[in-house]
Amino acid sequence: MFTNGNQVSHERAFEQVIGNSAALVSVLEKIKRVAPTDAIVLIEGETGTGKELIARAVHNLSSRRGQSFVRLNCAAIPLDLLESELFGHEKGAFTGAISQRIGRFELADKGTLFLDEVGDMPPALQPKLLRVLQEQEFERLGGTRTHRVDVRLVAATNRNLPEMMEQGKFREDLYYRLNVFPVLLPPLRERREDIPALVKHFVEVFGRRMRRQIEHIPQETMSALSSYEWPGNIRELQNLIERAVILSKDGVLRNPLRTTPWRQGTIGPPTTLRGAERELILRTLEAVGWVIGGTAGAAAKLGLKRTTLINKMQKLGIFRPRLQSRQEVMLRTVETLSSVPNI
């Protein structure tokens, strides 16, 4: 796949990036071009498409590869602590600040800082991020001394930043500063030819980790996995293969799509609009771990309001399976489908 003189280093940088599809190769070619520079890279794509792996590849192919690669998920940090995580704080800067703390920008000095879910950064903090990107300097929270850093930034988001700009939720000047070299990762459904290689990779990883020998993947299983839509992308595939390895018997990998709670209640493919809508909602809920709200929840992925999705779930008889047997799930599903009127 890689043909220039740096083939070995490129393969090492991309060793966790599995696949040879045209869509993926196009992305990797862009990464090889931008990585040696210090340009900001903005990685866009749906949840679960492997944005952090691409960010690490940018770092590993750059002149900074011998320095730190520091990661921060902006959506995982409480808003009132995010500034401290980014820039650090001085002792006494706020209640609970009992000692000085170094922020991620300082930790990443001379290296690479990966800001994941940058679209979830609160508006009040965006000007401070813009300043450090433009001037490479900042002050710790509660401090007055200016600190200079040399950091290469890689940002990632699954949000539509231009749309957020129009809504006043994301600064235009910050967007244009981040959008120096955009890279769009394709969803798994657009690179289906990579699915067999990914399946074999995850089978090997989890088989080794769980000390289970998987010797055979039936063609029926591989065909089912290759034709599935994968709303949760590679992360969903990884989780399902892990489950399949756990449930495997006699060294054979069974179709994990048949063992998901919502699949147990499905009798054949949907043949009505109601059935298709129900299946789409169930697939999405399964892919996001039954999280309904939030930027990475099922409602956002389906383009619905949280309350609208809840109402649809109630009308379609969708419930989160807990400690129910296979027979109970199937019985309740059949009863629900027969009693709910067409929508």
Side-chain angles (χ1 to χ4, degrees):
M1 179 165 57
F2 307 108
T3 58
N4 65 29
N6 294 324
Q7 180 175 357
V8 174
S9 61
H10 288 160
E11 288 180 347
R12 287 178 180 173
F14 296 126
E15 60 184 352
Q16 296 299 316
V17 181
I18 310 298
N20 288 283
S21 64
L24 180 61
V25 169
S26 176
V27 168
L28 301 188
E29 289 294 337
K30 291 180 180 178
I31 295 305
K32 286 192 294 182
R33 288 180 176 274
V34 72
T37 74
D38 272 341
I40 295 174
V41 178
L42 177 62
I43 305 172
E44 301 172 285
E46 297 178 7
T47 298
T49 48
K51 293 188 283 292
E52 183 174 350
L53 285 179
I54 297 300
R56 289 186 179 276
V58 171
H59 174 73
N60 291 336
L61 289 172
S62 74
S63 60
R64 299 171 182 262
R65 56 184 171 273
Q67 304 297 325
S68 298
F69 177 87
V70 178
R71 177 185 181 275
L72 177 65
N73 187 326
C74 298
I77 307 297
L79 299 184
D80 55 345
L81 296 179
L82 186 55
E83 181 176 358
S84 173
E85 286 291 333
L86 282 170
F87 307 117
H89 64 252
E90 301 291 351
K91 181 179 179 180
F94 52 85
T95 303
I98 60 177
S99 62
Q100 184 188 79
R101 178 186 177 91
I102 302 299
R104 304 297 174 97
F105 268 99
E106 284 184 83
L107 291 174
D109 190 26
K110 304 297 190 297
T112 302
L113 176 62
F114 174 50
L115 289 185
D116 198 5
E117 305 298 351
V118 71
D120 289 83
M121 180 170 290
L125 196 52
Q126 293 174 20
K128 296 185 178 181
L129 175 60
L130 178 62
R131 179 198 171 195
V132 73
L133 294 181
Q134 290 179 333
E135 303 176 15
Q136 295 280 291
E137 63 181 31
F138 64 92
E139 290 81 38
R140 293 185 192 137
L141 188 61
T144 57
R145 177 187 167 191
T146 298
H147 299 267
R148 292 196 60 83
V149 289
D150 175 15
V151 173
R152 200 266 182 84
L153 183 77
V154 179
T157 184
N158 63 358
R159 307 284 294 274
N160 187 327
L161 296 186
E163 183 177 286
M164 292 181 66
M165 283 194 305
E166 294 179 0
Q167 298 171 350
K169 297 179 180 179
F170 204 85
R171 292 177 62 104
E172 287 190 29
D173 47 7
L174 177 57
Y175 170 72
Y176 293 124
R177 189 70 187 90
L178 291 174
N179 200 40
V180 174
F181 195 91
V183 175
L184 178 62
L185 294 191
L188 190 53
R189 62 184 174 274
E190 293 181 7
R191 39 178 293 220
R192 293 183 185 277
E193 56 267 50
D194 291 336
I195 292 177
L198 285 163
V199 170
K200 293 173 183 177
H201 170 73
F202 290 132
V203 164
E204 180 181 349
V205 169
F206 292 119
R208 184 170 58 249
R209 186 178 302 173
M210 300 173 189
R211 298 181 181 179
R212 289 177 178 268
Q213 187 71 26
I214 306 298
E215 300 175 346
H216 179 57
I217 303 176
Q219 183 58 45
E220 177 188 355
T221 295
M222 192 66 81
S223 297
L225 294 172
S226 296
S227 60
Y228 180 53
E229 287 298 305
W230 299 111
N233 292 295
I234 299 173
R235 184 179 297 123
E236 183 186 7
L237 173 63
Q238 178 179 341
N239 292 340
L240 280 184
I241 296 302
E242 181 177 10
R243 179 189 305 169
V245 171
I246 294 172
L247 297 175
S248 65
K249 295 179 180 180
D250 304 322
V252 177
L253 188 80
R254 305 300 180 189
N255 181 1
L257 293 171
R258 291 182 175 178
T259 65
T260 58
W262 58 268
R263 283 277 178 181
Q264 293 170 2
T266 302
I267 303 176
T271 57
T272 65
L273 179 60
R274 176 168 60 100
E277 181 180 41
R278 187 176 193 277
E279 176 136 347
L280 175 60
I281 291 174
L282 284 166
R283 286 186 181 186
T284 307
L285 286 165
E286 172 71 13
V288 300
W290 288 81
V291 175
I292 296 176
T295 58
K301 292 184 74 66
L302 291 166
L304 300 173
K305 293 182 178 179
R306 181 176 176 274
T307 52
T308 301
L309 177 56
I310 291 175
N311 288 336
K312 285 182 176 291
M313 290 171 63
Q314 292 173 345
K315 290 180 179 179
L316 294 169
I318 298 175
F319 58 97
R320 180 171 185 169
R322 295 185 184 276
L323 299 177
Q324 295 169 308
S325 67
R326 177 185 177 91
Q327 291 76 18
E328 289 173 330
V329 173
M330 291 184 67
L331 178 60
R332 180 161 180 176
T333 302
V334 172
E335 291 175 346
T336 300
L337 286 175
S338 63
S339 62
V340 176
N342 289 332
I343 298 175

